[in-house]
């Protein structure tokens, strides 16, 4: 493998700084156009439910269950079950399949507490809010019916969030700027590595392994070389 002269590489990049700036600026511009005019804004809204410590109808105290990860996983599956989401689709007259709706919903525990967050993402902020709230209602009803436990209550209802979570122009500009730098640096390195032209006396000496006795300088006269 041919050795790379770092000094020579630096001078090459310095001479091609215009190309580096052009590529980086182009990537940033394309990214901004995508974020402002092409990328579809997504909105998220969430509701929370709490597992209270009341006695269930089966005589099991929720404290005995300790609200561990297994219980949260169980409730998460109930939230995303057909039994719950089919009722949400029906009540809100959603033009969505069960598979499409379940992909919009994420369920998680809040900091290892007894609180469970039901988060919904959608292109419509109002629809995201409504889906989250109706899902929480049907979820609590199904827990009572399926498990015979009256230990789930809605803590906070979802509210409309008009700020898209997937679009942040300042942050995206920084990301595209870094991407442009990496891309332009990679392109310049490839051009440099595969460029076989001789640019200096030192390169000639390296190629032929013999000392150079003299050279011809490039002269400018009357604006012509």
């Amino acid at each position: 493998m041919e050795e790379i002269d770092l000094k020579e590489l630096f001078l090459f990049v310095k001479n091609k700084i215009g190309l580096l700036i052009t590529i980086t600026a182009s990537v940033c511009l394309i990214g901004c156009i995508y974020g402002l005019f092409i990328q579809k804004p997504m909105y998220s809204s969430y509701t929370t439910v709490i597992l209270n410590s009341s006695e269930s109808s089966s005589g099991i105290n929720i404290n005995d269950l300790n609200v561990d990860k297994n219980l949260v996983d169980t409730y998460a599956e109930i939230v995303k079950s057909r039994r719950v989401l089919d009722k949400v689709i029906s009540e809100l007259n959603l033009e969505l399949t069960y598979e499409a709706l379940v992909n919009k919903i994420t369920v998680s525990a809040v900091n290892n507490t007894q609180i469970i967050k039901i988060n919904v993402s959608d292109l419509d902020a109002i629809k995201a809010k409504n889906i989250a709230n109706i899902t929480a209602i049907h979820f609590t009803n199904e827990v009572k019916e399926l498990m015979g436990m009256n230990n789930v209550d809605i803590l906070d209802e979802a509210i409309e969030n008009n700020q898209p979570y997937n679009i942040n122009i300042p942050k995206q500009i920084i990301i595209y700027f870094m991407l442009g730098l990496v891309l332009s640096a990679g392109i310049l390195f490839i051009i440099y590595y595969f460029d076989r032209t001789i640019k200096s006396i030192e390169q000639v000496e390296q190629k032929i392994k013999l000392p150079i006795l003299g050279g011809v300088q490039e002269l400018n006269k009357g604006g012509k070389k």
Side-chain angles (χ1 to χ4, degrees), residues 172-185:
Q172 288 176 254
I173 289 177
I174 295 174
I175 294 174
Y176 290 128
F177 175 76
M178 298 303 296
L179 179 62
L181 277 181
V182 172
L183 179 62
S184 57

Side-chain angles (χ1 to χ4, degrees), residues 70-209:
N70 291 331
L71 185 58
V72 173
D73 290 344
T74 298
Y75 282 158
E77 292 304 314
I78 295 176
V79 170
K80 295 188 289 186
S81 66
R82 287 184 178 274
R83 183 167 180 146
V84 171
L85 297 188
D86 282 346
K87 293 178 180 179
V88 175
I89 293 172
S90 177
E91 181 168 343
L92 294 176
N93 295 318
L94 300 176
E95 296 181 356
L96 294 171
T97 62
Y98 163 78
E99 288 77 13
L101 180 56
V102 76
N103 288 332
K104 294 176 179 288
I105 299 175
T106 57
V107 185
S108 60
V110 179
N111 298 326
N112 295 319
T113 64
Q114 293 176 309
I115 299 173
I116 297 176
K117 177 190 287 188
I118 302 173
N119 189 82
V120 179
S121 301
D122 196 86
L123 294 171
D124 188 322
I126 297 177
K127 184 184 291 185
K129 178 198 72 173
N130 292 337
I131 292 174
N133 284 328
I134 299 303
T135 300
I137 292 172
H138 286 294
F139 163 64
T140 56
N141 292 336
E142 292 303 324
V143 168
K144 295 174 185 177
E145 183 175 343
L146 290 173
M147 305 182 70
M149 300 172 69
N150 190 25
N151 66 316
V152 181
D153 294 307
I154 296 175
L155 179 61
D156 287 320
E157 292 187 353
I159 60 175
E160 183 180 346
N161 183 8
N162 292 315
Q163 184 66 35
Y165 69 86
N166 65 325
I167 297 179
N168 186 331
I169 297 301
K171 182 179 179 180
Q172 288 176 254
I173 289 177
I174 295 174
I175 294 174
Y176 290 128
F177 175 76
M178 298 303 296
L179 179 62
L181 277 181
V182 172
L183 179 62
S184 57
I187 292 174
L188 290 181
F189 179 79
I190 292 174
I191 294 174
Y192 169 81
Y193 187 78
F194 289 100
D195 185 3
R196 299 305 183 204
T197 58
I198 303 299
K199 302 178 181 63
S200 66
I201 293 177
E202 290 77 11
Q203 283 184 313
V204 176
E205 291 178 335
Q206 290 177 2
K207 293 289 185 182
I208 66 177
K209 306 301 181 182

